[in-house]
Amino acid sequence: MKSRRGKTKWEDLLSIILLMLIGLMHSTQYLPQAARGLLRTASLPLMGVILVVSWYQSEKYNHLPPEERRDLDRQWEDERGVMVQRQAVHFCWQVEIWLLFGLYILFTFGMGRQDLATVVFELMILRSVFFYAVRWWFNRKY
Amino acid sequence: MTNRIAELRKARKISQAELADGVDVTRQTIISLESGRYNASLLLAHKIARYFGLTIEEVFLFEEEET
């Protein structure tokens, strides 16, 4: 069975690319000057931290005893591990909804940016529709 | 639901890591099962029972008030 670690390396790389894209996005005119400057300053050290953490995790994994490595690989497939992941996904889903809602309030009442608020609102609707569609699909499948 | 995993494992002088290897789960899952924080699925219960050479009912004890 292919190791989960091998997959997470690609996922780590993907998250770095994603962060770089977000960094580029922040350099556009969509955000106020102050926020843009702050995000531009913060994104580079953040990317550095993620790179160092990814490298450290990879090195730590490579130097683990075989039993511990096997145990670590297995955690992504064993049923308790899967249950923990599902709980984490559910928690993240809830947090995301509240974050988006917070952003909507901020853009509407705090910054007076109805255009951005509309994008956030559309994103919230899209996520909900997508969630129900996926749930319907899985219900149908099983 | 309670279980006799810790009792059976100690009687057979098997470590948690060995049992975990035998039934293809993590040691943390065995720890959670033994402490009663997690209830095994039917598949895992079957694997554990087979590992000890017993039936599911001999390893996992279902209490009536849980119904």
Side-chain angles (χ1 to χ4, degrees), chain A residues 19-39:
Chain A
L19 269 168
M20 287 169 83
L21 286 172
I22 292 166
L24 281 171
M25 197 184 79
H26 287 311
S27 61
T28 60
Q29 74 277 17
Y30 294 111
L31 286 169
Q33 187 64 41
R36 218 186 314 163
L38 182 74
L39 285 165

Side-chain angles (χ1 to χ4, degrees), chain A residues 1 70-72 74-75 78-81 83, chain B residues 21 24-29 32 38 41 44:
Chain A
M1 193 180 296
R70 225 173 24 241
D71 210 42
L72 207 65
R74 216 180 274 142
Q75 76 174 331
D78 94 321
E79 57 178 51
R80 187 182 153 278
M83 184 199 72
Chain B
D21 268 343
D24 204 28
V25 294
T26 60
R27 201 169 70 86
Q28 191 55 51
T29 298
S32 295
Y38 176 68
S41 69
L44 181 56

